[in-house]
């Protein structure tokens, strides 16, 4: 998977990430297997995107949280492997901080930050903040 990372300096200037003790470490059982419980809906049923997006998996989102999310990413076996937030660049400010990003699958193994020029559902340029619940070696479960 090709990744475009913000430099450490730019990321530090733009964002401060922290995970709430309850949200990052306690799994929400209603979302661990696809499809997740209401109010989540398949992104492919809301916008013109495929049901499975290579690199992100099968995505579900609560429509009330658009465009930021969280978007829940499932592998081909229906296991929740990541949570993605899509933050429009226009919403980012020099003093902006993102606190308490929810990670419904529980413990976060690592975080990727990727630039995206826009796509159906979030047309303007934005960043993806991907909270991975699986090690890097298991990301291939959503690669294709």
């Amino acid at each position: 998977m090709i990744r475009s990372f913000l430099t450490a300096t730019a990321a530090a200037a733009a964002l401060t990430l922290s995970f709430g003790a309850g949200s990052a470490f306690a799994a929400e059982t209603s979302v661990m297997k696809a499809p997740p419980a209401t109010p989540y809906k398949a992104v492919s049923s809301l916008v013109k995107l495929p049901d499975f997006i290579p690199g992100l998996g099968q995505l579900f989102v609560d429509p009330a949280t658009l465009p930021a999310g969280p978007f829940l990413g499932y592998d081909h076996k229906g296991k929740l492997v990541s949570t993605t937030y899509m933050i429009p660049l226009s919403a980012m400010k020099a003093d902006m901080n993102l606190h308490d990003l929810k990670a419904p699958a529980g413990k976060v193994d690592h975080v990727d930050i990727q630039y995206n020029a826009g796509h159906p559902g979030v047309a303007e340029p934005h960043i993806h903040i991907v909270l991975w619940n699986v090690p890097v070696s298991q990301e291939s479960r959503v690669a294709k």
Side-chain angles (χ1 to χ4, degrees):
M1 175 166 82
I2 297 174
R3 298 182 184 158
S4 298
F5 292 100
L6 294 176
T7 64
T9 304
L15 306 171
T16 299
L17 301 177
S18 66
F19 304 101
S23 62
F25 300 107
E28 296 175 24
T29 57
S30 66
V31 299
M32 296 307 291
K33 285 294 214 176
T38 302
Y40 289 96
K41 294 185 183 235
V43 170
S44 61
S45 72
L46 301 172
V47 296
K48 190 174 181 175
L49 284 171
D51 191 45
F52 193 93
I53 301 169
L56 293 174
Q58 183 182 21
L59 295 179
F60 289 83
V61 67
D62 173 351
T65 67
L66 294 173
F71 294 81
L72 306 180
Y74 295 85
D75 66 13
H76 286 288
K77 294 181 180 179
K79 179 182 178 192
L80 180 60
V81 294
S82 68
T83 302
T84 301
Y85 290 86
M86 300 183 190
I87 310 298
L89 294 182
S90 64
M92 297 179 70
K93 307 294 178 220
D95 61 348
M96 178 182 179
N97 295 302
L98 297 176
H99 294 283
D100 197 27
L101 294 175
K102 307 295 184 222
K107 188 174 187 281
V108 173
D109 182 84
H110 62 285
V111 177
D112 286 342
I113 299 175
Q114 306 159 341
Y115 171 81
N116 189 289
H119 52 73
V122 187
E124 71 177 280
H126 58 281
I127 61 166
H128 289 182
I129 302 172
V130 184
L131 311 177
W132 287 98
N133 305 104
V134 297
V136 172
S137 62
Q138 293 181 24
E139 284 184 29
S140 63
R141 294 161 52 171
V142 296
K144 303 179 196 180

